[in-house]
Amino acid sequence: MTERTPVDLWFDPFCPFAWMTSRWLLEVEKVRPIEPRWHIMSLNILNEDKDVPDSYREMIAKAIGPVRVVTAVQDKYDSETVGRLYTELGVRFHNQGRVKQLDTLRETVEEALEAAGLDRAFADAMDSEEYDEALRASHDDGINRVGQEVGTPVIAVDGVAFFGPVISPAPKGEEAGRLWDGVRTVAGFDGFFELKRSRTRPPIFD
């Protein structure tokens, strides 16, 4: 059996581009020997000292609720369970377009928990600071690998971490594998830091 390469991904469930990247990694797993490992980070923490629009600040302040829930699950279960919950949250937030329905946020989180085979009571963490220290530790673990000037997602492979890749839509099948091959290649160059161009399309969910 071919040994699988661990690939760590840090995400905030509210981030649509982290969602795209995560779906790509699951496609890669089908065609390349990788093992995605899921970790929480927070848009709220990332932007706490930054000048951002009030509307965005309000949104990410609400986003801390689901992040705390994922942190509580991450504290008690393994990465596979965290990934399963992330899938259920992401489908509802992004594919179903419920990320902006902040008045029913708890209901959405409880639905995702139940669909992931977890206790709905984890939703109580939305309004609790119990796991905030663990959240910040997980967030810092990811962001300190790439620097404060980037965002979510962060991926790490072979001891090298990057922001991104930012993609839309998420490629599938061998196309996903070819993109992975490129990421793995640049990760192998110690002096490689970034490629970037302006985004010309929004996240495309399917």
Side-chain angles (χ1 to χ4, degrees), residues 152-164:
T152 172
V154 170
I155 68 167
V157 60
D158 295 338
V160 179
F162 295 109
F163 163 61

Side-chain angles (χ1 to χ4, degrees), residues 108-182:
T108 301
V109 170
E110 288 185 353
E111 284 181 18
L113 285 163
E114 184 172 341
L118 294 164
D119 192 335
R120 280 177 172 250
F122 274 110
D124 291 343
M126 293 178 69
D127 302 310
S128 170
E129 297 180 359
E130 179 180 358
Y131 296 98
D132 282 6
E133 184 176 347
L135 164 58
R136 192 169 291 271
S138 181
H139 175 93
D140 289 346
D141 183 28
I143 206 69
N144 288 341
R145 299 173 188 233
V146 291
Q148 298 294 324
E149 69 275 12
V150 300
T152 172
V154 170
I155 68 167
V157 60
D158 295 338
V160 179
F162 295 109
F163 163 61
V166 177
I167 48 179
S168 180
K172 294 179 171 57
E174 185 56 27
E175 187 178 27
R178 288 192 295 108
L179 176 58
W180 168 252
D181 294 340

